[in-house]
């Protein structure tokens, strides 16, 4: 009998990064010199002080057994201390910190803990695809909140119909934003929290890029009065410490929501390897380590090189204040998918088409600051030779 995928899988749009990766692999197989400004995976190595701690932890027999369901207590305590030191937010390590297998794990599973079939979920667009896919898997109904440049890439809550607001169960936010690189002022979070109290929403804030910034440090939504009643926030060590492959992060906020997410995870996974959590503890305790601060200077140099290079050949976009993505306006209002294909095929430069994130992303390309300055300059040079 022919195999048929489940309806929930059939309902998903193609995963954008997989399609881009296929084209990249094809070029590499043909021996082409590809400059990859596509998927945002740091090229810098994990910091030595973290690796050294992992090297010790991996030999400890206590770390060879099943992990703690909620996470190693020492890691959760370090996460709580980080929240206090970085954001001046008090959270209980026992009831308000849940270790996750990277933030993606928590993001994908949260709707299963909150959303019932038919509940409305407010999903930004363009956005990290997991917000939408997690909603579909849970049986929720996504309602798109366009992130427009005229609104500083913040959702316009006033434009959402009253009946939708009343049916909404979960709201996704993500600042510093992927892919637009926008940041959110505290006043925006205050409005979101006030609406959550009014309509009974749960707000999920993805702060995975919170420690990659060039000017003012990004805010946590949990800094807002009343946020602990209605919000959960996701943090990741992936971008902050170049630990994408380690898969370590945490969720924090409303204890009932955190516990519900923990109940879902208790039924679908066995937690993260204890030794990685031990290394993660050391990372969080040294979030202001000179090596960590040094990498921010590296990203700033790359950001400036890309901005100066592209604007120098007539491209326009907002220079980001945080994150390591640039959300670049396509020249002459070119279709993003067509331009992305042209850059790959003719310049061997990989970018991500904004239209792949949905209609609200059309007219932009996402470029990641995950190659060195020299390669960025080479990419700009190749692009400059194209007649666009």
């Amino acid at each position: 009998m022919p195999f048929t995928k489940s309806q929930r899988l059939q309902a998903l749009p193609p995963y954008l990064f997989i399609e881009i990766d296929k084209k990249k692999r094809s070029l590499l197989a043909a021996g082409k010199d590809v400059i990859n400004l596509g998927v945002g995976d740091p090229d810098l190595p994990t910091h030595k002080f973290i690796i050294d701690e992992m090297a010790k932890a991996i030999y400890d027999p206590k770390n060879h057994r099943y992990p703690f369901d909620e996470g190693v207590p020492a890691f959760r305590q370090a996460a709580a201390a980080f929240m206090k030191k970085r954001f001046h937010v008090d959270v209980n390590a026992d009831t308000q910190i849940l270790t996750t297998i990277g933030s993606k794990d928590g993001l994908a599973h949260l709707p299963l803990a909150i959303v019932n079939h038919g509940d409305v979920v407010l999903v930004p667009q363009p956005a990290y695809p997991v917000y939408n896919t997690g909603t579909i898997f849970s049986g929720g109904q996504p309602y798109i909140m366009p992130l427009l440049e005229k609104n500083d890439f913040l959702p316009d809550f006033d434009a959402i119909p009253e009946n939708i607001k009343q049916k909404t169960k979960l709201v996704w936010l993500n600042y510093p934003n992927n892919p637009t690189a926008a940041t959110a002022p505290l006043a925006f979070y205050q409005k979101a929290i006030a609406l959550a109290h009014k309509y009974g929403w749960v707000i999920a804030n993805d702060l995975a890029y919170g420690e990659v910034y060039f000017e003012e440090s990004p805010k946590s939504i949990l800094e807002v009065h009343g946020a602990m009643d209605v919000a959960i926030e996701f943090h990741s060590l992936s971008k902050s410490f170049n630990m994408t492959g380690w898969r370590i992060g945490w969720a924090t906020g409303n204890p009932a929501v955190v516990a519900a997410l923990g109940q879902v995870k208790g039924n679908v996974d066995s937690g993260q390897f204890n030794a990685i959590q031990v290394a993660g503890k050391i990372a969080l305790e040294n979030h202001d380590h000179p090596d960590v601060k040094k990498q921010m200077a590296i990203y700033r140099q790359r950001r400036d090189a890309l901005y100066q290079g592209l604007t120098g050949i007539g491209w326009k976009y907002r220079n980001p204040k945080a994150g390591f993505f640039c959300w670049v306006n396509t020249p002459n209002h070119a279709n993003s998918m067509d331009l992305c294909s042209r850059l790959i095929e003719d310049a061997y430069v990989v970018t991500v088409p904004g239209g792949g994130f949905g209609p609200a992303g059309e007219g932009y390309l996402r470029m990641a600051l995950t190659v060195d300055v020299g390669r960025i300059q080479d990419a700009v040079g190749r692009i400059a030779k194209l007649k666009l």
Side-chain angles (χ1 to χ4, degrees):
M1 294 179 61
F3 170 73
T4 302
K5 293 189 294 185
S6 67
Q7 293 179 355
R8 64 175 60 87
L9 279 180
Q10 294 181 45
L12 298 182
Y15 195 64
L16 175 63
F17 305 124
I18 293 177
E19 300 303 316
I20 300 297
D21 195 55
K22 286 180 181 178
K23 291 189 175 184
K24 180 192 73 175
R25 288 176 183 271
S26 177
L27 285 171
L28 291 173
K32 304 301 182 182
D33 177 27
V34 176
I35 300 176
N36 188 4
L37 304 179
V39 175
D41 192 358
D43 61 314
L44 302 174
T46 304
H47 301 292
K48 184 178 183 298
F49 68 88
I50 301 171
I51 297 173
D52 289 344
E53 186 67 19
M54 179 68 172
K56 292 187 295 183
I58 203 168
Y59 282 103
D60 187 342
K62 295 194 301 292
N63 293 328
H64 300 169
R65 309 185 71 178
Y66 279 122
F68 293 89
D69 284 347
E70 299 83 7
V72 171
F75 175 76
R76 289 186 285 121
Q77 290 162 7
F82 173 86
M83 295 298 298
K84 177 65 174 179
K85 185 175 182 180
R86 170 70 173 81
F87 302 108
H88 308 290
V89 170
D90 290 302
V91 293
N92 186 305
D94 294 327
T95 61
Q96 292 179 279
I97 299 284
L98 175 69
T99 302
T100 59
I101 308 173
S103 58
K104 184 177 183 179
D105 157 41
L107 299 171
H109 287 123
L110 180 67
L112 296 176
I114 295 174
V115 177
N116 293 315
H117 186 78
D119 283 344
V120 172
V121 177
L122 301 185
V123 178
Q125 186 190 99
Y128 187 43
V130 175
Y131 311 145
N132 191 56
T133 57
T135 297
I136 293 172
F137 281 162
S138 70
Q141 297 296 317
Y143 182 88
I144 300 302
M145 300 186 294
L147 304 184
L148 305 177
E149 189 165 358
K150 67 179 183 179
N151 296 328
D152 295 325
F153 299 112
L154 299 171
D156 182 1
F157 290 122
D158 295 335
I160 300 172
E162 182 67 20
N163 66 314
I164 296 297
K165 291 177 181 176
Q166 293 177 353
K167 295 177 182 178
T168 293
K169 191 69 173 288
L170 175 64
V171 180
W172 288 110
L173 299 177
N174 165 224
Y175 294 96
N177 186 259
N178 172 19
T180 71
T183 55
L186 205 58
F188 168 78
Y189 285 145
Q190 290 169 339
K191 181 172 183 177
I193 292 301
L195 290 170
H197 278 272
K198 178 178 179 179
Y199 292 102
W201 300 344
V202 171
I203 294 183
N205 190 45
D206 180 3
L207 197 54
Y209 297 89
E211 301 313 299
V212 182
Y213 57 90
F214 311 114
E215 276 83 32
E216 182 181 358
S217 58
K219 302 293 186 181
S220 163
I221 198 171
L222 299 179
E223 296 179 60
V224 174
H225 177 72
M228 287 296 181
D229 298 327
V230 296
I232 183 171
E233 190 166 74
F234 293 89
H235 293 255
S236 172
L237 279 67
S238 290
K239 311 305 190 297
S240 309
F241 302 99
N242 309 322
M243 296 175 70
T244 52
W246 297 59
R247 311 311 306 135
I248 180 72
W250 76 91
T252 186
N254 180 280
V257 178
V258 171
L261 175 59
Q263 186 176 356
V264 172
K265 284 178 50 59
N267 281 279
V268 298
D269 67 63
S270 296
Q272 180 53 280
F273 182 31
N274 284 346
I276 291 178
Q277 296 188 58
V278 172
K281 166 185 176 292
I282 294 300
L284 289 176
E285 290 176 346
N286 291 274
H287 76 277
D288 54 358
H289 190 282
D291 289 348
V292 178
K293 296 300 182 184
K294 182 179 178 181
Q295 77 185 37
M296 291 304 97
I298 292 173
Y299 283 131
R300 182 180 290 106
Q301 291 170 354
R302 295 176 179 184
R303 177 200 66 165
D304 293 344
L306 185 62
Y307 184 76
Q308 292 166 9
L310 289 180
T311 57
I313 62 173
W315 291 39
K316 297 179 180 179
Y317 66 97
R318 297 187 180 193
N319 207 16
K321 296 179 180 179
F324 54 58
F325 294 121
C326 293
W327 191 234
V328 180
N329 301 79
T330 60
N332 302 317
H333 306 288
N335 176 273
S336 63
M337 187 64 74
D338 292 342
L339 181 56
C340 177
S341 296
R342 179 86 188 280
L343 294 179
I344 294 175
E345 294 164 5
D346 296 344
Y348 310 139
V349 174
V350 179
T351 61
V352 177
F357 292 96
E362 187 49 67
Y364 300 88
L365 294 179
R366 194 191 74 175
M367 298 185 182
L369 303 173
T370 50
V371 299
D372 63 35
V373 168
R375 293 292 275 173
I376 288 174
Q377 291 171 337
D378 288 344
V380 172
R382 294 182 189 183
I383 294 170
K385 295 178 181 178
L386 301 180
K387 293 181 180 180
L388 302 174

